[in-house]
Amino acid sequence: MTAPAGAQAERTGLAWRRTALASAACTLLLLHSAALRHWGLALLPVLLSAATSALLAGVGATRERALRAAEPVAMPRLLPAVTSLAVTLTATSVIVLH
């Protein structure tokens, strides 16, 4: 049995949205923590996390659109690298500044 047409694009889009939503939830937790610490440098991980959440949502939407096209195209190699770098920088800032 094969999956209906477009199922791969939908599953990919849902996975990216779940990841972006989880990242947004972490952003809210970091925001709460920064407020308890009276802001200062604790705000940097919040800003990085918010930017990473937006990036994840954008990459996910782009990837889903690309898979829904009549001729699916590969994701540019730079996009996952930039996304991975953003996640790594955010995690590092949390470890260093919290």
Side-chain angles (χ1 to χ4, degrees), residues 2-47:
T2 60
Q8 178 187 6
E10 184 176 354
R11 284 192 311 270
T12 299
L14 288 171
W16 279 98
R17 276 186 229 123
R18 264 192 320 271
T19 304
L21 184 60
S23 178
C26 289
T27 301
L28 292 175
L29 290 172
L30 286 170
L31 184 64
H32 176 71
S33 176
L36 292 177
R37 295 173 185 263
H38 304 291
W39 308 106
L41 281 179
L43 191 58
L44 183 62
V46 175
L47 297 175

Side-chain angles (χ1 to χ4, degrees), residues 56-89:
L56 287 167
V59 169
T62 301
R63 186 65 187 138
E64 185 175 2
R65 267 195 309 275
L67 288 174
R68 287 190 187 278
E71 286 288 325
V73 294
M75 184 183 296
R77 296 184 112 175
L78 187 61
L79 207 51
V82 168
T83 305
S84 180
L85 179 64
V87 170
T88 302
L89 285 174

